[in-house]
């Protein structure tokens, strides 16, 4: 197994960083790495906003659910789906491409483009000995995020991404059984397999929590996920993305 | 610069493979690598379908625009946004979580989850000396794809992904200037910067094509992108994803 795969298999989210900031050189290398990811039809439909202003970081941390590591880290990036440049480029050439930009297809393309770029950055950062954590919490209030970062129409902040020098180690969280995620030729709808995979996984997760909390937590994945999904979250999203020009038709 | 970052910076899509198939061990290692990517709130909202059946590969190649490398490669994966297991797990526990599953927020979460997993697989594959290419072309006809792969409700095929031993090298395609993708603290709306970045980039791209085609092609990025977006593509997508249970509210 090579070093890159070792890095990938060793991933865990880091939520506690030292005070050491990333250097400009490190930031550039991370952004370059992100940019080298594949992009659908060369469209490059994303932007990355680095947040260094301490006031803005504090505001973003507050709205992301008061996660201290959004404020204290080596660097905070915000990844955005971005079709602003495409709209502008086309208008400059006398063309109206709104019908394409506003479709669900292009919405998906831009979200995928941004995510591919982000994951390249994640692997690059971890290969440098840095820790990372995705911050979905910024989607709690994207209106406010857009205001803080002054993003125009056709730009949709998707998630934050913190990087830094890890202060505390964290444990690797077990994933669903490979057989459950991976199908061959057709999607496996076998009921027995389904229940076998998930009850095995529930046991794994339950003992993972038991070990980590000295027996205080014993929750299963199926419990956790059901609980998580019981109350729909961020129900403003459907309307919001449309207001920003995405996913309208 | 470490080996992982070298691999990432050296990415280029490979569209021509030898006949050598991936081994089962390689496939497992790639899927494990994919699974180690971050996942929003531990939701793991994706599945990966490996396609080995030659008839199915041919059908997928045909609908993806007759790209021969969709049929001839070391392995073909299809990445899907997947909330099927979450719906089923909740129902088994006597809960109805449809309101959460069908929201645009969860749609975005599942698309991002799948993309992060895929990009981990891309970096892992390239670190092993394999080549990869994303196949957005399967979105030409997802109804047919869903039929071929027998995916149920709450499963949305997003893109194909071919891996294999490269038969022909390909060139690295230059990305937008870093300064254009990367903003600091606020989104840069400066008109002069915008035009400077894009005219620089247009020159880069123009000479890239000139060099590769012996002067036959000289198109600029702004031309290409405008052309690409002039005719909206895959306009069925808005309706289709809803029919599959995603992005409905």
């Amino acid at each position: 197994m090579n070093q890159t795969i070792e890095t990938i298999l060793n991933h865990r989210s880091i939520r506690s960083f030292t005070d050491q900031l990333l250097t400009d050189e490190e930031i550039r290398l991370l952004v370059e790495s992100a940019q080298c990811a594949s992009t659908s039809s060369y469209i490059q439909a994303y932007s990355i906003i680095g947040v260094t202003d301490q006031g803005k970081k504090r505001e973003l941390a507050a709205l992301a659910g008061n996660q201290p590591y959004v404020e204290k880290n080596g660097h905070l990036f915000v990844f955005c789906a971005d079709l602003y440049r495409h709209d502008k480029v086309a208008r400059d050439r006398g063309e109206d491409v709104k019908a394409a930009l506003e479709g669900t297809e292009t919405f998906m393309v831009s979200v995928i483009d941004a995510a591919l770029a982000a994951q390249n950055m994640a692997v690059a950062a971890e290969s440098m000995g840095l820790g990372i954590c995705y911050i979905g919490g910024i989607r709690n209030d994207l209106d406010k995020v857009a205001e803080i970062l002054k993003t125009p129409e056709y730009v949709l902040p998707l998630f934050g991404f913190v990087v830094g020098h890890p202060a505390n180690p964290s444990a690797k969280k077990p994933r669903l059984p490979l057989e459950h995620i991976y199908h061959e030729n057709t999607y496996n709808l076998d009921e027995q397999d389904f229940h076998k995979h998930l009850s095995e996984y529930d046991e794994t997760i339950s003992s993972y929590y038991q070990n980590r909390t000295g027996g205080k937590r014993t929750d299963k994945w199926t419990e956790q996920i059901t609980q998580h999904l019981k109350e729909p979250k961020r129900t403003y999203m459907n309307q919001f993305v449309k207001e920003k020009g995405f996913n309208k038709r």
Side-chain angles (χ1 to χ4, degrees), chain A residues 61 74 95 109-110 122 160 181 195 198 212 217-218 226 238 246:
Chain A
E95 301 285 352
V109 159
S110 62
I181 287 283
H195 290 293
L198 286 176
R212 280 195 62 196
R217 274 181 74 178
T218 58
T226 305
N238 186 281
F246 293 82

Side-chain angles (χ1 to χ4, degrees), chain A residues 63-78:
Chain A
L63 67 83
N66 281 313
Q67 302 171 332
Y69 45 97
V70 179
E71 196 180 335
K72 193 187 159 187
N73 47 55
H75 201 69
L76 166 63
F77 295 98
V78 176

Side-chain angles (χ1 to χ4, degrees), chain A residues 9-24:
Chain A
L9 297 183
N10 196 37
H11 164 73
R12 55 218 52 206
S13 293
I14 297 292
R15 295 189 173 81
S16 168
F17 300 98
T18 70
D19 286 329
Q20 194 180 342
L21 296 178
L22 262 58
T23 64
D24 284 350

